[in-house]
Amino acid sequence: QVQLVESGGGFVQPGGSLRLSCAASGFTLDQYCIGWFRKLPGRDHERISEITADNHITYLADSVKGRFTISKDNAKNTALLIMDNLKFEDTGVYTCAARGDGWCPTQYDNDYWGQGIQVTVSS
């Protein structure tokens, strides 16, 4: 089955860390740009970060700079989003997406869109 599957979400206290994984099956990530998005309560999807097929980081949202890190392990066919110093306002559903035509994915232009995973920052 061709899909992206996120894992690693859950509950964390403010200041804590989570590591989100985005595992691809049925296709290889070395041909795709990967983007991470999140949907915060009451708001539209926000693009967080993106990394190209050849592992260049081309975007990191101001809201997460200095706290979140994107990476991609082509050998494991997995992309990661390392989230440190999490804040209450980071609570939401996090989704990875892939696009293979030389561009990076958007919410509306992508080849694959994961099912999303909940991240809750709470004391």
Side-chain angles (χ1 to χ4, degrees), residues 10-16 18 86-92 94 118-123:
F11 287 87
V12 64
Q13 292 185 335
L18 284 174
L86 282 159
K87 303 177 181 181
F88 291 118
E89 54 263 39
D90 293 318
T91 294
Y94 287 70
Q118 179 69 40
V119 169
T120 302
V121 185
S122 175
S123 55

Side-chain angles (χ1 to χ4, degrees), residues 21-57:
S21 294
C22 172
S25 59
F27 66 103
T28 54
L29 290 186
D30 60 357
Q31 303 295 316
Y32 288 80
C33 179
I34 298 298
W36 281 97
F37 301 79
R38 67 183 181 184
K39 191 173 189 316
L40 306 182
R43 299 173 64 178
D44 203 354
H45 279 93
E46 173 190 10
R47 182 172 55 132
I48 301 170
S49 189
E50 62 190 30
I51 185 167
T52 63
D54 56 353
N55 285 351
H56 287 94
I57 298 171

Side-chain angles (χ1 to χ4, degrees), residues 65-78:
K65 276 182 182 174
R67 302 189 298 123
F68 290 14
T69 305
I70 191 172
S71 64
K72 184 158 61 81
D73 187 335
N74 289 332
K76 295 182 179 179
N77 218 26
T78 299

Side-chain angles (χ1 to χ4, degrees), residues 55-119:
N55 285 351
H56 287 94
I57 298 171
T58 53
Y59 181 79
L60 185 64
D62 287 341
S63 57
V64 303
K65 276 182 182 174
R67 302 189 298 123
F68 290 14
T69 305
I70 191 172
S71 64
K72 184 158 61 81
D73 187 335
N74 289 332
K76 295 182 179 179
N77 218 26
T78 299
L80 298 176
L81 185 70
I82 310 295
M83 306 187 296
D84 295 319
N85 192 21
L86 282 159
K87 303 177 181 181
F88 291 118
E89 54 263 39
D90 293 318
T91 294
V93 177
Y94 287 70
T95 304
C96 62
R99 185 171 177 179
D101 62 355
W103 296 90
C104 286
T106 71
Q107 179 185 355
Y108 304 104
D109 288 304
N110 59 78
D111 293 315
Y112 305 104
W113 183 265
Q115 85 283 358
I117 193 163
Q118 179 69 40
V119 169

